[in-house]
Amino acid sequence: MKDSEIIDLGKAIFGVFFSVGTLCLLGALVTKDDWFAGAGYLLIIFGVPVNLLCILGFLTYGVINTSKFKECMIAIGILLINIPIAIFYTAIGLNSLH
């Protein structure tokens, strides 16, 4: 894998989960429909293991290919940005929907 491909993959995974989470939050806030809140909850339940597996994959790849370790750490850092965003979105959702 090229250096830019590793970082681009991390950005893409981040983008998918960020976009779906934002869609769920905004959908729940605008429509007050519990379906969006449930989808956001399921996103957290299933998204955490998927992101952890991606982080583990990047870490393993970086350890095996030491020349790609820096790029893998950057990709992991990008994925870790989702954690405070998810906590913030959860707090907004719990406080405004109930």
Side-chain angles (χ1 to χ4, degrees):
M1 228 186 243
K2 295 180 184 176
D3 296 349
S4 63
E5 288 177 345
I6 294 169
I7 296 172
D8 289 344
L9 181 59
K11 287 179 184 178
I13 295 167
F14 166 82
V16 167
F17 284 97
F18 176 77
S19 298
V20 174
T22 302
L23 178 71
C24 290
L25 177 66
L26 291 177
L29 292 176
V30 171
T31 65
K32 303 292 186 197
D33 188 358
D34 289 338
W35 185 88
F36 284 107
Y41 179 71
L42 287 175
L43 178 65
I44 292 172
I45 297 297
F46 292 114
V48 169
V50 170
N51 275 284
L52 287 175
L53 283 173
C54 292
I55 288 171
L56 183 62
F58 282 131
L59 188 60
T60 304
Y61 185 73
V63 168
I64 291 172
N65 286 337
T66 54
S67 64
K68 308 290 185 192
F69 187 76
K70 180 181 176 187
E71 290 76 20
C72 289
M73 289 294 110
I74 292 170
I76 289 171
I78 292 169
L79 287 177
L80 290 176
I81 295 170
N82 269 330
I83 293 171
I85 294 171
I87 293 168
F88 181 64
Y89 280 13
T90 302
I92 291 172
L94 289 175
N95 287 327
S96 64
L97 294 176
H98 296 289

